[in-house]
Amino acid sequence: MRNPEAEYRKRTPTSERFWQKARTTLPGGITANVKYYSPYPIFMRKAGGSKLYDVDNNEYIDYCLCYGPLILGHGHPAVVETIKRQLDEGGTTVYGTPNEIETKMANKIKRHVPCAKTVRFTNSGMEATLHALRTARAYTKREKIAKFEGHYHGAYDSVTVSVTPPLSQAGPDYAPIPVSNSAGLPNYILENTVVLPFNDLPNTEKLIRKHRSELAAVIVEPVARGFLAPDIDFLRGLRALTDENGIVLIFDEVMTGFRLGLGGAQEYSGVIPDVVALGKIVGGGLPAGVFAGEPEIMAVLSPVGSKSPNDHLFHSGTFSGCPAVLAAGYATIEVLEKPGVYDHINWIAEEVKKCMNDVFEDYTIAAHATGVGSMFQCFFTSTRPIRNYRDTSKADAQKRVRFDLELINNGVYVRPHKPFYTSLAHTKADLEKTCEAIKEATTTIAT
Ligand SMILES: Cc1ncc(COP(=O)(O)O)c(C=O)c1O
């Protein structure tokens, strides 16, 4: 039987050495927990277009793309030139005052994202969801929030609940129990969070009705983890229920925003939330986030005419609205606006999924690739369709990790066990090489 880990170690000795050194200073040798996987993560040295190059001079076709933001690929010239121009012409990295690019970028977002009528910038997607939730609390004067099991909104207390709960602790399918997803989470967070079952409108409705007078917001990833498609009637039902009960509906579009299309999941589903959180692509590859929504709700943020600290919502951030970041995001959206761009990005994803599914069928392996647009996942399970977190957690994770290590050994980079993303920079030649790697990796799993 082939041993993907032994081959991985043989190809990446410098990464192992760098990682051992990093561990002496960085907990776990990494700067974000998502970057760690066993036996050790690869250290990259350079990138360009669809490619990553590691410290052992191995080349990879990149399907991680920094977990989604690099929809144009690495170092797209329009983005890089814009950042350089902004730094040159602006004469600094950041002004610390209002600047014109903020309004220009806010209007660009407003033009494309239906609910984004008024806009605030942050430095990350997680700050965007955090402030969206606080905005809902300030507006409704209620404290509890409802989130969906298996949905990720960032790494802070209010949302580090039931993201990847062990099924043994997660309660019945129809009424998930809030489970802590991190050491250090205070109990009051669990007490103030209602956990809902995705794509299950009758049970979601029961839980929302039960807590309706206490709920400030329902936050949802409209396409869960970027690859679990919503039933459109489920999202419509959620919209009606939140409207009926005066609850703010927040779409976390950090992953789907500008990836599913210029109007994100709102355009895809036709369902318009009250508030949206954006991130990733909106920063053009630099750190950024946005929360935006209905003027009546977002008005709680305005300090104009304020008489006391408690009569408006305090949102701040030294680097919020950083001009180089906004310019990079603006340049990215301008490329995405060109005809045919999304067609290419989605076509690449379709072809890779098709190759996986054909090869799995040829080898009679119970596995399949599934996703929406240019985001997809691959599951070693016979369950289909996969509709929610509980379905995904029944798949064979060990097999998937072996498959991913073998893809990496064959020059295709994906962060093991995480989704695949495609970009404008991926080519037909990349597709052919990727399909060969998929065949090799599947051979390993089959033996
Ligand atoms: C749906 C979703 N929300 C929020 C976040 C957090 O964004 P960031 O990592 O920029 O803080 C992520 C990150 O992957 C995400 O996928």
Side-chain angles (χ1 to χ4, degrees):
M1 188 160 110
R2 272 156 68 171
N3 182 342
E5 186 178 320
E7 177 66 15
Y8 179 92
R9 288 180 182 279
K10 206 163 100 194
R11 297 178 78 251
T12 58
T14 313
S15 282
E16 179 162 23
R17 196 156 47 77
F18 281 17
W19 180 65
Q20 293 295 1
K21 192 171 169 202
R23 286 179 75 186
T24 61
T25 330
L26 307 169
I30 34 135
T31 52
N33 283 20
V34 69
K35 293 184 192 169
Y36 174 75
Y37 58 87
S38 182
Y40 53 85
I42 294 180
F43 279 56
M44 297 299 173
R45 159 181 79 74
K46 208 177 141 191
S50 60
K51 305 291 190 314
L52 282 170
Y53 303 88
D54 75 8
V55 288
D56 286 290
N57 293 321
N58 296 304
E59 178 183 298
Y60 304 90
I61 304 166
D62 186 10
Y63 288 96
C64 173
L65 298 170
C66 193
Y67 309 94
L70 302 172
I71 192 162
L72 306 182
H74 293 274
H76 189 285
V79 178
V80 173
E81 287 310 314
T82 301
I83 296 169
K84 284 185 186 159
R85 198 176 331 116
Q86 174 56 40
L87 293 176
D88 276 353
E89 290 176 8
T92 182
T93 49
V94 65
Y95 307 119
T97 68
N99 60 77
E100 261 188 296
I101 310 171
E102 292 171 334
T103 314
K104 187 175 156 192
M105 180 62 169
N107 279 317
K108 180 68 106 184
I109 293 167
K110 187 172 168 178
R111 205 167 308 132
H112 290 304
V113 181
C115 84
K117 294 176 191 142
T118 39
V119 175
R120 274 279 170 109
F121 295 106
T122 66
N123 304 296
S124 65
M126 104 174 167
E127 275 178 75
T129 65
L130 181 149
H131 291 300
L133 288 167
R134 294 178 73 229
T135 300
R137 286 197 178 107
Y139 177 71
T140 59
K141 302 191 172 48
R142 300 175 185 166
E143 288 198 6
K144 283 193 178 174
I145 64 156
K147 75 175 288 287
F148 286 87
E149 189 175 66
H151 291 207
Y152 179 70
H153 305 293
Y156 57 94
D157 285 352
S158 305
V159 292
T160 319
V161 176
S162 296
V163 183
T164 53
L167 292 189
S168 57
Q169 294 170 28
D173 290 3
Y174 60 85
I177 294 171
V179 178
S180 166
N181 231 92
S182 170
L185 193 85
N187 263 332
Y188 69 80
I189 295 289
L190 299 177
E191 287 156 14
N192 281 294
T193 310
V194 177
V195 177
L196 305 169
F198 187 62
N199 267 338
D200 174 353
L201 189 58
N203 288 311
T204 291
E205 177 167 357
K206 275 189 202 143
L207 289 162
I208 290 180
R209 287 198 188 286
K210 186 169 162 199
H211 297 277
R212 64 179 153 198
S213 60
E214 303 161 295
L215 282 176
V218 172
I219 185 166
V220 62
E221 280 191 83
V223 176
R225 302 314 305 118
F227 53 85
L228 294 172
D231 291 340
I232 302 302
D233 281 344
F234 171 76
L235 290 183
R236 286 194 189 122
L238 206 53
R239 176 66 284 184
L241 266 170
T242 45
D243 268 344
E244 187 195 320
N245 293 291
I247 300 165
V248 175
L249 179 61
I250 303 172
F251 272 12
D252 177 352
E253 295 222 48
V254 171
M255 195 68 99
T256 52
F258 294 101
R259 186 163 270 285
L260 276 189
L262 292 165
Q266 299 175 43
E267 182 185 299
Y268 168 86
S269 67
V271 178
I272 314 299
D274 301 302
V275 174
V276 65
L278 299 165
K280 298 199 190 258
I281 291 171
V282 90
L286 293 180
V290 167
F291 63 111
E294 283 299 325
E296 186 192 322
I297 298 174
M298 295 292 284
V300 299
L301 286 143
S302 173
V304 179
S306 165
K307 294 194 177 52
S308 91
N310 269 319
D311 65 13
H312 66 283
L313 172 71
F314 184 72
H315 156 242
S316 202
T318 302
F319 292 101
S320 294
C322 177
V325 174
L326 299 185
Y330 195 92
T332 300
I333 296 171
E334 279 193 318
V335 176
L336 292 172
E337 284 166 343
K338 294 192 172 133
V341 169
Y342 282 105
D343 293 340
H344 176 82
I345 301 167
N346 293 344
W347 173 71
I348 297 279
E350 277 310 312
E351 289 296 306
V352 179
K353 269 191 291 184
K354 184 174 177 315
C355 171
M356 279 185 187
N357 288 332
D358 288 350
V359 174
F360 295 149
E361 202 177 316
D362 287 351
Y363 283 78
T364 55
I365 286 190
H368 67 292
T370 180
V372 180
S374 57
M375 305 166 281
F376 60 97
Q377 257 296 29
C378 158
F379 295 102
F380 287 85
T381 174
S382 50
T383 304
R384 57 187 78 180
I386 293 191
R387 289 169 45 78
N388 56 34
Y389 166 74
R390 296 202 182 199
D391 291 339
T392 65
S393 58
K394 287 172 197 149
D396 186 334
Q398 289 311 316
K399 224 177 225 180
R400 171 66 202 277
V401 168
R402 281 181 60 211
F403 179 74
D404 290 340
L405 284 186
E406 199 63 336
L407 285 182
I408 293 174
N409 293 338
N410 284 281
V412 167
Y413 184 76
V414 56
R415 153 66 167 84
H417 212 234
K418 291 284 175 197
F420 295 71
Y421 307 91
T422 56
S423 81
L424 184 62
H426 285 83
T427 62
K428 198 157 183 286
D430 290 336
L431 273 180
E432 282 158 17
K433 208 170 160 214
T434 303
C435 202
E436 285 309 309
I438 290 167
K439 283 181 197 152
E440 284 295 317
T442 309
T443 311
T444 306
I445 299 299
T447 52

